[in-house]
Amino acid sequence: FKKREGGKEERVRIGSCVSTRGGAGRDASSAARRLPSQHLTSSSYAGDPPGLFKSKPRTPVDLVRQTRDLLLYADRSNSSSLPDSKRHEKMAELSRNIRDIKFILYGNSEAEPVAEACAQLTQEFFRQDTLRLFITSLPILNLETRKDATQVVANLQRQQVNYKLIASDYLEANLDLMDVLILGFENLDMALHYGAMFRECIRHQIVAKYVLESEHVKKFFDYIQLANFDIAADAAATFKELLTRHKSTVADFLTNNEEWFFADYNSKLLESVNYVTRRQAIKLLGDILLDRSNSAVMTKYVSSMDYLMILMNLLIESSKSIQIEAFHVFKLFVANQNKPAEIVNIMVTNRSKLLRLLADLRPDKEDERFEADKSQVLREISSLEPLVLA
């Protein structure tokens, strides 16, 4: 918008809109004037000359309300005996509306998203249970509309209104929606859509805390090993996000659940028969233990003889990538200045094998930090003396 004060023209910026296409949206100037022509102008009646008899353009608020009504209709009609032609017409209109919502949030090839329009849409979307309807109605939408709906839900988790993520407040009051989303991993047709929504929702700390403190977190040990590679990979990406994004929440969770969590992690993931599962699991374990927020948990982990034996077995894997990642965890056992006697004695007993194995271990690309760490580990192992068990 522009205003004049004292004969001078001044530009006023009222905000920007989130778009994954890169960068903030353009200024919201002329939003009310431009929005209809970009996204929401209704089509002319068939046969009418262009520009005549157009219905009143819809605002973002109108669009969300109409979409909500259509979602309710779609849910009812899915279990009723309405004529196919009528239902097909309404479902087509619903698909167009969801696509229009996506265009407002993301923009298109001709226009960037408008901040004011995004704010209006976001407020109306979370004012009532539109998010719930998007999630529960997803199975009755066609594939392209499911993709659009998934992108809409993902984008709305990042939209700020008056510098506040109102999606977080909504989800805090509707945490049961996470129960619906996580079960989506068990539906082959819906898993990737629900998985993408789930990952965006756990960007909110209150939501991640709910998931970690529920029984849901245990399900990921199974989802990561599903036969469908795409779904298993998606579950692994979600599991990593859950265990690395919110540092303090993750640290509290691991501290309070260390025994069962690492027992399951080691037996189900690190010792899995699936190579991909083992590779992803050892990489994530290193990320978790090397994070300073988890230092107390790391200290306990590297004091376990059972855990050390698992890591030493991973060091002799045929896969170099697993060996390298296993080394980054193994070095924590070696660096521990308060090693229990049983751990020292295992290292001493296997000293010659460990020294030969580590001496030959090199990453594909030259890595000075890796070589420095390896040299320190070799020196430490060489200097160990057996201890008498208490």
Side-chain angles (χ1 to χ4, degrees), residues 274-291:
N274 186 298
Y275 159 74
V276 175
T277 299
R278 295 197 306 277
R279 187 185 67 188
Q280 292 174 332
I282 187 59
K283 174 68 168 66
L284 177 57
L285 179 63
D287 292 341
I288 293 171
L289 296 181
L290 287 165
D291 192 302

Side-chain angles (χ1 to χ4, degrees), residues 41-57:
T41 302
S42 300
S43 301
S44 302
Y45 294 108
D48 289 333
L52 295 180
F53 305 112
K54 287 184 179 179
S55 60
K56 183 179 178 181

Side-chain angles (χ1 to χ4, degrees), residues 121-239:
L121 189 152
T122 302
Q123 284 180 305
E124 181 60 27
F125 196 94
F126 290 110
R127 190 177 65 82
Q128 293 189 6
D129 262 357
T130 309
L131 177 59
R132 183 179 296 276
L133 289 172
F134 262 63
I135 291 172
T136 58
S137 299
L138 204 64
I140 63 177
L141 304 178
N142 63 48
L143 179 59
E144 289 305 313
T145 306
R146 285 177 192 171
K147 293 178 181 178
D148 289 341
T150 300
Q151 289 180 284
V152 166
V153 171
N155 185 289
L156 285 168
Q157 304 312 309
R158 308 175 185 223
Q159 289 291 341
Q160 294 190 25
V161 178
N162 296 326
Y163 304 102
K164 188 174 184 180
L165 289 168
I166 61 176
S168 180
D169 293 338
Y170 174 87
L171 285 171
E172 184 175 4
N174 295 273
L175 287 169
D176 63 292
L177 285 175
M178 303 309 295
D179 305 339
V180 178
L181 289 175
I182 196 165
L183 290 177
F185 280 102
E186 299 172 17
N187 184 325
L188 289 178
D189 294 328
M190 305 303 303
L192 296 180
H193 303 295
Y194 279 142
M197 291 182 180
F198 188 95
R199 259 192 316 283
E200 289 299 322
C201 289
I202 60 175
R203 292 174 61 87
H204 309 300
Q205 190 162 6
I206 188 66
V207 177
K209 185 174 186 291
Y210 168 77
V211 175
L212 286 170
E213 293 178 351
S214 73
E215 290 296 304
H216 293 322
V217 69
K218 297 180 180 180
K219 296 176 181 177
F220 280 99
F221 293 117
D222 298 320
Y223 295 158
I224 288 171
Q225 301 186 78
L226 288 171
N228 184 296
F229 177 81
D230 291 334
I231 297 176
D234 194 73
T238 303
F239 193 50

Side-chain angles (χ1 to χ4, degrees), residues 18 37 67 74 110 112 152 175 183 186 196 203 206 227-228 242 250 266 287 323 349 364 369-370:
V18 175
S37 65
T67 302
E110 298 178 356
E112 292 290 323
V152 166
L175 287 169
L183 290 177
E186 299 172 17
R203 292 174 61 87
I206 188 66
N228 184 296
L242 191 61
V250 172
N266 293 338
D287 292 341
Q323 286 182 306
T349 300
D364 291 332
R369 175 66 182 273
F370 179 87

